[in-house]
Amino acid sequence: MSARNPDTKAEILRIGKQFIQFYGYNAFSYADIARELNVKNAAVHYHFRGKEDLLMALIDNYIENYQLLAKQLQHSKITAIGKLEKFIEPYSCLCESDSICIIGSIASDYNTLPESVKAKISALIDLVMGMVEQTLAEGKKHGELHFSETARTQALLIMTNLAAGVQLARISGKKDYTIIRKALIKQLKG
Amino acid sequence: MSARNPDTKAEILRIGKQFIQFYGYNAFSYADIARELNVKNAAVHYHFRGKEDLLMALIDNYIENYQLLAKQLQHSKITAIGKLEKFIEPYSCLCESDSICIIGSIASDYNTLPESVKAKISALIDLVMGMVEQTLAEGKKHGELHFSETARTQALLIMTNLAAGVQLARISGKKDYTIIRKALIKQLKG
DNA sequence: CAAAAAACTTACTTATTAGTAAGTAACTCT
DNA sequence: AGAGTTACTTACTAATAAGTAAGTTTTTTG
């Protein structure tokens, strides 16, 4: 009867990510994922023992993708602004689908998570913040970007604008996100 | 046996607020509140028919408090920076207790909420944003504050910095929140 | 002081959740 | 072709969740 599907594991990750970004980590169940994929909930447990294993795998994915991006940007000739766009674009996409970034979503449920997840999400943040900081520092050094704070502080300001920007957009409208995004870029260009 | 307590309703609101800020809206139950207050879960249902009624009451509280603050600030002689501190201080307090602001918390669970709650949280945001915007505009007019964006845009930037700042602090440490807060004030003072 | 209202508890029900043990079908490798 | 492995389903359990109806006690009020 049921066609065997070699992609179920990847599909579970895709749907899980979508649910976290759209509903929040504590607002969906394995049954929800199963329903979406037309499998039984035991199938989800087969691929990921529990919800936190799924979350761990998801964060691992993010870390891998950002590490890949880091390598791609390493020796590329694109401008600092161009690099920054690579960090901003995902937020713009999230905004379009009334979703929020996984870090912001997890931050809300942070105190319900096991230490293993907390450590991994912390590692993801360090990775992304480090990349943004470095991009800002380079851009400033080359006279392309302008800001008065340290690169680290400026990275904190920008990323919090984006993260809360998509959250706010959900409630008060996408226009607010756009205002924030444009203001950020304008200020950096000086 | 059980002492009748005239404050139970207020206590439920207090604990509910605390739980939303610490664990997230979809991560606690009426049973959790009941346990904390040493009553039965039916007692919680007696005061608030359901979880969304509790949330509605909580948001109403916030709206009342901000309206009160608006009146207090209206004709007071404190500086614009002093007024802004009134908006910043609650975030600093939240950060101290590893909690996040209720708007950020609700933003994560936004797509699981009924329209009634969505409308009310939107009204709260409009109220707060309006107050911050006005404070910024006045401060700029009097030469006390310095920023290049419109007051509305600057208000968006500041509030998103604060909201995501406390979220980030939970994961990567309170120091990051402090960096953000100090940078904001420094920039506004010009 | 009697009646009514307020603030609960007791004792349920129904639905959802996470999770598991055992079985089955299909594919893979030798 | 047969043995093992993968990817599931069936069929449960135990715990938690929201919610409610009916009864009890305490306080207020006419």
Side-chain angles (χ1 to χ4, degrees):
Chain A
M1 179 211 156
S2 62
R4 268 159 64 87
N5 184 351
D7 308 332
T8 300
K9 189 166 187 172
E11 286 289 281
I12 292 170
L13 282 169
R14 208 196 85 234
I15 300 292
K17 177 179 165 185
Q18 212 173 280
F19 279 177
I20 290 174
Q21 292 176 340
F22 194 78
Y23 297 115
Y25 180 71
N26 282 315
F28 76 94
S29 69
Y30 266 27
D32 295 323
I33 295 180
R35 199 175 307 118
E36 191 80 10
L37 295 179
N38 273 306
V39 296
K40 302 298 161 182
N41 67 336
V44 186
H45 280 287
Y46 170 76
H47 289 288
F48 301 98
R49 181 178 279 272
K51 219 172 161 183
E52 54 185 80
D53 300 85
L54 173 56
L55 184 53
M56 287 288 273
L58 258 176
I59 304 174
D60 276 329
N61 268 8
Y62 273 89
I63 291 175
E64 282 167 31
N65 288 338
Y66 271 106
Q67 280 170 340
L68 203 71
L69 179 63
K71 276 187 189 164
Q72 286 169 3
L73 297 184
Q74 194 85 40
H75 301 293
S76 81
K77 296 280 178 193
I78 56 175
T79 60
I81 280 283
K83 287 182 181 178
L84 277 178
E85 294 281 10
K86 300 273 184 189
F87 294 97
I88 295 173
E89 205 188 84
Y91 286 90
S92 305
C93 289
L94 286 168
C95 189
E96 283 306 309
S97 56
D98 276 318
S99 297
I100 66 172
C101 88
I102 203 165
I103 294 175
S105 183
I106 289 174
S108 294
D109 297 288
Y110 192 69
N111 290 319
T112 70
L113 300 173
E115 289 306 318
S116 52
V117 176
K118 291 186 181 180
K120 197 162 288 262
I121 196 78
S122 180
L124 173 59
I125 289 182
D126 287 348
L127 174 61
V128 178
M129 287 301 304
M131 289 170 71
V132 174
E133 180 184 344
Q134 206 193 321
T135 304
L136 287 169
E138 280 173 24
K140 191 177 187 178
K141 197 174 162 190
H142 297 148
E144 187 192 343
L145 301 180
H146 305 82
F147 51 91
S148 56
E149 306 293 338
T150 64
R152 159 96 178 143
T153 298
Q154 193 63 34
L156 283 172
L157 292 172
I158 291 171
M159 296 312 282
T160 51
N161 279 146
L162 291 171
V166 295
Q167 291 172 21
L168 185 68
R170 229 183 208 189
I171 305 174
S172 72
K174 294 172 190 173
K175 211 171 166 184
D176 279 341
Y177 170 78
T178 306
I179 291 172
I180 290 168
R181 181 175 51 83
K182 290 190 174 165
L184 284 180
I185 306 231
K186 191 186 112 188
Q187 286 184 5
L188 285 173
K189 286 185 177 170
Chain B
M1 181 216 156
S2 62
R4 264 156 68 83
N5 183 351
D7 307 331
T8 300
K9 189 167 189 172
E11 286 289 282
I12 292 170
L13 282 168
R14 209 196 83 235
I15 299 293
K17 178 179 164 184
Q18 213 174 278
F19 279 177
I20 289 174
Q21 293 175 341
F22 194 78
Y23 297 113
Y25 179 70
N26 283 316
F28 75 94
S29 70
Y30 266 28
D32 294 323
I33 295 180
R35 200 174 307 118
E36 190 81 11
L37 296 178
N38 273 305
V39 296
K40 302 297 162 182
N41 66 335
V44 186
H45 281 286
Y46 170 76
H47 289 289
F48 301 97
R49 181 179 278 273
K51 219 172 159 183
E52 55 185 78
D53 301 85
L54 173 56
L55 184 53
M56 287 289 271
L58 257 176
I59 304 173
D60 275 329
N61 268 9
Y62 273 89
I63 291 175
E64 282 168 32
N65 289 337
Y66 272 105
Q67 280 170 340
L68 203 71
L69 179 63
K71 276 187 188 163
Q72 286 169 3
L73 297 184
Q74 194 85 40
H75 303 294
S76 80
K77 296 281 178 192
I78 55 175
T79 60
I81 280 283
K83 286 181 181 178
L84 277 177
E85 295 280 10
K86 300 273 184 189
F87 295 96
I88 295 172
E89 204 189 83
Y91 286 90
S92 305
C93 289
L94 286 168
C95 189
E96 282 306 308
S97 55
D98 277 317
S99 297
I100 66 171
C101 88
I102 203 164
I103 294 176
S105 183
I106 289 175
S108 294
D109 296 287
Y110 192 69
N111 291 319
T112 70
L113 300 173
E115 289 306 318
S116 53
V117 175
K118 290 185 181 180
K120 197 162 290 260
I121 195 79
S122 179
L124 173 58
I125 289 182
D126 287 348
L127 175 61
V128 178
M129 287 300 303
M131 289 170 70
V132 174
E133 179 184 345
Q134 206 192 320
T135 304
L136 287 169
E138 281 173 22
K140 191 177 189 180
K141 197 174 160 190
H142 297 149
E144 188 191 342
L145 301 182
H146 305 82
F147 51 91
S148 56
E149 306 293 338
T150 65
R152 159 95 178 143
T153 298
Q154 192 64 34
L156 283 172
L157 292 172
I158 292 171
M159 295 313 282
T160 51
N161 280 144
L162 290 171
V166 294
Q167 291 172 22
L168 185 68
R170 232 183 205 187
I171 305 174
S172 71
K174 294 171 189 173
K175 211 171 166 184
D176 280 341
Y177 170 78
T178 306
I179 291 172
I180 291 168
R181 180 175 52 83
K182 289 191 176 166
L184 284 181
I185 306 226
K186 191 185 112 189
Q187 286 185 4
L188 285 172
K189 287 186 175 168

